[in-house]
């Protein structure tokens, strides 16, 4: 079964602290993974995808096939990073399978 | 400006009414999607389309129907709304073919539906 698990519903950190949002997936083939973000009163938008191997707004995510994980990391959190983060897996129908999301709250 | 639009943004309606949620995009995308999201839960794909006259059902079974008569328009219809249909509905679109199967999906602002 194709599935995405985000174990943390809420993650609260202080400004300047490191952040790691966890994502595990279940997929039998070669996965394509994404992180989408939704800031307050804004639309859901793509943050990054694993095949581009880039850093966006200081965030990085590495695909670990052995652990079937795609955790999102940032070394120093900023208040503007506060948002809802969704991990997504490319499904067999060409669609996206989303996790339940993690709400990141960065306190001053 | 290229964008994806959804109307209405909020809808409160009585049981048994027929409703149509509108989705239009000026992105020039071939692929369009409808997702359903209950509060605090994941997005579930309910319908998608590869292009004009193409519609497919998604992972989550839904009593809604869709049509794709024009590339830019992908409306979702509920013939008889019920309280169990109360949810947020998100429309999205993406390019087809270029860059691989899983091109970036662009999302609309959503329609929050409440059926009394």
């Amino acid at each position: 079964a194709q599935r995405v698990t985000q174990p943390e519903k809420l993650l609260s950190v202080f400004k300047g602290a490191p952040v790691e949002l966890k994502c595990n997936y279940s997929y039998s083939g070669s996965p394509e993974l994404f992180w989408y973000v939704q800031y307050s009163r804004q639309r859901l938008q793509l943050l990054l995808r694993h095949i581009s191997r880039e850093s966006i707004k200081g965030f990085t995510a590495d695909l670990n096939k052995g652990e079937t994980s795609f955790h999102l990391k940032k070394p120093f959190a900023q208040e503007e990073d506060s948002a809802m983060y969704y991990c997504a897996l490319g499904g067999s129908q060409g669609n996206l399978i989303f996790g339940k999301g993690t709400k990141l709250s960065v306190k001053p | 400006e290229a964008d994806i639009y959804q109307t209405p943004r909020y809808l409160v309606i009585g049981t048994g009414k027929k409703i149509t949620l509108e989705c239009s995009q000026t992105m020039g995308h071939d692929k369009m999607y409808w997702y359903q999201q209950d509060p605090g839960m994941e997005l579930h794909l309910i319908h998608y389309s590869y292009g004009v006259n193409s519609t497919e059902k998604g992972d989550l079974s839904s009593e809604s129907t869709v049509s794709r008569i024009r590339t830019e328009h992908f409306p979702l219809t509920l013939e008889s709304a019920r309280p169990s249909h109360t949810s947020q509905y998100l429309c999205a679109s993406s390019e087809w073919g270029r860059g691989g199967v899983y091109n970036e999906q662009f999302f609309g602002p959503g329609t929050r539906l409440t059926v009394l």
Side-chain angles (χ1 to χ4, degrees):
Chain A
Q2 301 165 36
R3 189 168 57 244
V4 175
T5 303
Q6 292 181 252
E8 302 139 330
K9 205 166 185 175
L10 173 66
L11 184 63
S12 186
V13 302
F14 285 102
K15 177 182 172 181
V19 169
E20 182 179 52
L21 290 88
K22 291 184 170 29
C23 171
N24 289 91
Y25 66 90
S26 174
Y27 188 68
S28 57
S30 186
E32 283 204 51
L33 286 145
F34 307 80
W35 277 98
Y36 277 77
V37 61
Q38 187 168 25
Y39 301 102
S40 179
R41 303 182 196 282
Q42 293 188 28
R43 304 181 189 187
L44 194 61
Q45 58 186 291
L46 179 68
L47 179 62
L48 54 81
R49 56 191 304 175
H50 90 272
I51 60 170
S52 43
R53 302 179 69 84
E54 56 190 347
S55 173
I56 303 292
K57 299 186 179 182
F59 284 98
T60 58
D62 291 318
L63 177 62
N64 185 324
K65 290 187 179 180
E67 295 183 359
T68 60
S69 69
F70 188 56
H71 302 329
L72 183 68
K73 299 177 184 179
K74 185 169 182 177
F76 307 104
Q78 303 298 315
E79 289 181 68
E80 56 265 30
D81 296 328
S82 295
M84 197 74 186
Y85 291 81
Y86 295 91
C87 183
L89 166 70
S92 56
Q93 297 170 312
N95 58 306
L96 290 175
I97 298 163
F98 285 87
K100 291 186 180 182
T102 298
K103 184 174 182 179
L104 174 64
S105 175
V106 181
K107 298 176 183 177
Chain B
E1 183 182 336
D3 205 349
I4 180 164
Y5 305 91
Q6 287 187 248
T7 57
R9 294 291 312 280
Y10 303 91
L11 180 61
V12 181
I13 202 161
T15 296
K17 300 289 186 184
K18 178 179 178 179
I19 59 170
T20 296
L21 307 185
E22 301 287 350
C23 175
S24 294
Q25 52 99 359
T26 55
M27 314 279 286
H29 290 162
D30 287 317
K31 295 184 77 173
M32 295 188 75
Y33 315 79
W34 276 104
Y35 291 88
Q36 184 175 341
Q37 183 182 30
D38 293 327
M41 302 296 288
E42 61 265 63
L43 285 75
H44 285 289
L45 182 71
I46 51 175
H47 299 283
Y48 61 103
S49 167
Y50 292 117
V52 171
N53 294 326
S54 154
T55 60
E56 305 286 343
K57 288 190 179 295
D59 307 321
L60 183 68
S61 175
S62 174
E63 293 165 349
S64 58
T65 58
V66 292
S67 62
R68 191 89 183 274
I69 298 171
R70 302 198 320 260
T71 300
E72 62 273 16
H73 196 213
F74 191 42
L76 181 146
T77 299
L78 277 164
E79 289 293 332
S80 180
R82 294 208 300 271
S84 60
H85 296 139
T86 295
S87 190
Q88 174 160 258
Y89 294 83
L90 291 172
C91 182
S93 70
S94 69
E95 287 183 332
W96 169 250
R98 203 184 311 172
V101 178
Y102 305 107
N103 290 313
E104 176 181 356
Q105 291 188 18
F106 293 84
F107 285 82
T111 294
R112 192 167 294 279
L113 173 65
T114 302
V115 183
L116 303 175

